[in-house]
Amino acid sequence: MKRVYVGGILTEKEARVLLVDRAPTDPWMAGLWSLPGGRVEAGESLEEALAREFYEETGLEVEVRERIIAIERPDWRVEVFLVRRLGGSLSEGTDPHISEARFFGVYQLPERIVLEAQMALVKHALHVGMTVTPNDFTVLVDSAFSSLFYTYLAPQFAQLRSIDGFELLEYIVVTTPHRKFKSCIPYLLADCHEDARPYCAMAEVLFAIWTLLDDLCDRRVTRYGRPTTLRSFSLQSSIVTVFTVLRSLEQYLEKNVGPAYSERILSSLVVCGEAELERFENRDLESVEHYLEQASKRTLFLRTAWAEGLRLVGKEKQARFLFSLHETTSKLGQIINDYFDLRDLTLRDFTDEVVSYYSIVLRRALSANPSDLQTFLDLWSAPRTEHTRERYQRLLRKYDVQEMLRQEVLRISDDVIDRVRNSGIDGHHKEIVIGWLRLSFRDFVGEDDLQDDYSRQLEAFLGAFSSSCRSVR
């Protein structure tokens, strides 16, 4: 017989919802936020169990109202109800496994939230008429990936501690806000098969290694507004980790997976390193194809990890699809990164004397204007000063290169989404991938695009997400 759990949604002013933080001693959800609730005991009704759990965990007396959702898993199910506050005092609960109780907005949910709680909250918000903007869509899709990672994949990730340098890699994963699609996409396309977890967790490890290498090459001390390992662990520790982690990773993979898998993963990281080095040597301002091909090579490790892991759990069709798709999306991702670099006027291409997508686009746009072209070439070869930087910015504005990149991102994105829709993978897998591809749309859509029904798109994504999670244990 399945175990039965209950959870309650208590909303107060500004539609903020009450969550509880599970202490490290909690046997099932340690370190995660969840809805107040717990297991139904023998002889209890669902309503009685929820009222009891709510009081024990939060100190609040509640009236249990209508049931809004039931989430089924192979060994258990959870019934989620709306509740109304009757009395009591918040944070005076008696459950020793609760560290804190706090209200959150649905768009500010903690990253470490139990998957089923996140899904119930967002589906309820949609049911009562929540309007979804492109930004909201990005926040809530990212939140779904993070909740899946921390609920079901993070324990597997933690088992990789025997790899030398894991402390730095874990720091990178934890301090990268959201963006856990790297492990969740293959996990969802494997329909959350338990055997897929080690390979999906490996994707996070490999991306952390790439991030460490990228930060070293760019001498980056902050990423996403947070200190990188160069600042938190020192430059020396970061460099040493690059060397030690690769050998340790090879030994771990050979022992736990096999030499063939290990060889493919390590070879893809070597290609990544070579392409990263080439980025600083490339001075070709005319070949878009070469620039994007090198960008694709820099993330070969990720699609290799995705494909090899899916093959090992018998998902050959999904493996071929993801590998091929990522060759295109990695190039799109580089254009998006360069767009942000231009939008924020970081202009790393000019400062660090490396080629970027927008410098190539500008070079092409100048071909019809010999005078401006000569100015550009002179600036590119001149010493970098504030004056030459300002002149470079004026050229970028004059030819509206930022808008060119925006239109290019939207065009390629539409083509990729059409490709997914016409692919042979299952329908719910298509919606998951499309949701992932739309994560960056909030930064590119114009006023005309805001008429799109992002509520409907979010509902489709969540429905597909739920379908893939039915077998999760």
Side-chain angles (χ1 to χ4, degrees), residues 198-209:
Y199 312 115
C200 298
M202 186 54 60
E204 293 289 345
V205 170
L206 298 178
F207 204 88
I209 294 172

Side-chain angles (χ1 to χ4, degrees), residues 5 19-39 41 52-58 91-101 114:
Y5 297 88
L19 298 177
V20 292
D21 186 12
R22 304 283 170 176
T25 56
D26 188 284
W28 305 109
M29 297 177 285
L32 300 177
W33 291 85
S34 75
L35 293 170
R39 188 169 183 175
E41 296 180 354
R52 172 183 55 77
E53 288 282 358
F54 222 99
Y55 183 74
E56 292 174 355
E57 294 182 353
T58 70
S91 299
E92 290 188 4
T94 59
D95 192 327
H97 299 310
I98 301 300
S99 297
E100 181 184 1
V114 172

Side-chain angles (χ1 to χ4, degrees), residues 29-252:
M29 297 177 285
L32 300 177
W33 291 85
S34 75
L35 293 170
R39 188 169 183 175
V40 179
E41 296 180 354
E44 283 186 314
S45 68
L46 299 178
E47 292 80 4
E48 289 170 342
L50 181 54
R52 172 183 55 77
E53 288 282 358
F54 222 99
Y55 183 74
E56 292 174 355
E57 294 182 353
T58 70
L60 297 180
E61 299 172 359
V62 297
E63 174 192 8
V64 180
R65 307 177 78 178
E66 67 267 29
R67 189 188 75 167
I68 60 169
I69 191 172
I71 299 175
E72 295 280 347
R73 297 291 181 249
D75 301 322
W76 54 271
R77 78 173 191 272
V78 59
E79 309 262 1
V80 181
F81 294 80
L82 294 180
V83 303
R84 183 172 69 90
R85 182 174 181 171
L86 297 177
S89 179
L90 186 62
S91 299
E92 290 188 4
T94 59
D95 192 327
H97 299 310
I98 301 300
S99 297
E100 181 184 1
R102 193 195 312 173
F103 283 92
F104 292 88
V106 71
Y107 298 120
Q108 293 85 36
L109 295 175
E111 189 170 359
R112 293 173 177 267
I113 183 174
V114 172
L115 172 65
E116 288 73 22
Q118 194 270 356
M119 300 292 281
L121 288 169
V122 177
K123 287 184 176 182
H124 173 62
L126 285 168
H127 179 71
V128 298
M130 174 179 67
T131 300
V132 180
T133 67
N135 183 71
D136 299 335
F137 180 89
T138 295
V139 168
L140 295 173
V141 169
D142 239 347
S143 175
F145 287 135
S146 289
S147 62
L148 177 61
F149 172 78
Y150 281 111
T151 306
Y152 293 104
L153 294 174
Q156 185 69 54
F157 177 75
Q159 292 180 21
L160 303 173
R161 291 185 183 279
S162 60
I163 297 174
D164 292 340
F166 181 82
E167 182 184 7
L168 269 72
L169 303 182
E170 183 178 41
Y171 174 84
I172 291 170
V173 171
V174 171
T175 57
T176 300
H178 297 291
R179 315 303 289 173
K180 300 302 186 290
F181 65 83
K182 302 178 290 295
S183 52
C184 292
I185 288 293
Y187 189 47
L188 289 162
L189 264 63
D191 287 325
C192 298
H193 194 293
E194 191 169 3
D195 291 345
R197 290 183 189 178
Y199 312 115
C200 298
M202 186 54 60
E204 293 289 345
V205 170
L206 298 178
F207 204 88
I209 294 172
W210 175 85
T211 300
L212 177 60
L213 177 64
D214 195 52
D215 289 344
L216 281 169
C217 289
D218 287 336
R219 303 180 297 277
R220 188 181 291 110
V221 294
T222 60
R223 182 186 283 268
Y224 300 112
R226 303 182 185 186
T228 64
T229 58
L230 276 70
R231 175 173 290 179
S232 296
F233 290 87
S234 81
L235 174 63
Q236 293 81 359
S237 294
S238 300
I239 292 174
V240 169
T241 297
V242 172
F243 289 96
T244 60
V245 74
L246 292 178
R247 178 56 182 164
S248 181
L249 179 64
E250 181 180 25
Q251 294 172 341
Y252 176 89

Side-chain angles (χ1 to χ4, degrees), residues 297-309:
K297 287 181 178 179
R298 289 200 294 274
T299 54
L300 173 64
F301 66 90
L302 185 58
R303 58 182 172 273
T304 299
W306 284 359
E308 294 302 319

Side-chain angles (χ1 to χ4, degrees), residues 293-339:
E293 185 60 34
Q294 291 303 114
S296 179
K297 287 181 178 179
R298 289 200 294 274
T299 54
L300 173 64
F301 66 90
L302 185 58
R303 58 182 172 273
T304 299
W306 284 359
E308 294 302 319
L310 284 167
R311 287 192 177 102
L312 286 170
V313 295
K315 301 290 184 180
E316 178 64 33
K317 180 170 65 175
Q318 291 88 335
R320 291 197 308 270
F321 166 77
L322 265 189
F323 190 93
S324 175
L325 182 72
H326 191 261
E327 286 186 292
T328 301
T329 59
S330 60
K331 297 174 183 178
L332 174 61
Q334 184 62 53
I335 299 174
I336 290 173
N337 288 339
D338 288 350
Y339 172 88

Side-chain angles (χ1 to χ4, degrees), residues 247-298:
R247 178 56 182 164
S248 181
L249 179 64
E250 181 180 25
Q251 294 172 341
Y252 176 89
L253 293 178
E254 287 183 351
K255 177 182 177 181
N256 293 278
V257 185
Y261 177 84
S262 176
E263 170 63 23
R264 293 188 185 98
I265 295 298
L266 270 295
S267 296
S268 69
L269 283 172
V270 170
V271 171
C272 165
E274 292 172 346
E276 189 76 11
L277 178 62
E278 200 273 345
R279 178 165 69 97
F280 292 93
E281 297 176 345
N282 179 31
R283 293 294 181 270
D284 186 354
L285 285 165
E286 297 188 23
S287 176
V288 167
E289 293 76 17
H290 175 75
Y291 177 75
L292 293 180
E293 185 60 34
Q294 291 303 114
S296 179
K297 287 181 178 179
R298 289 200 294 274

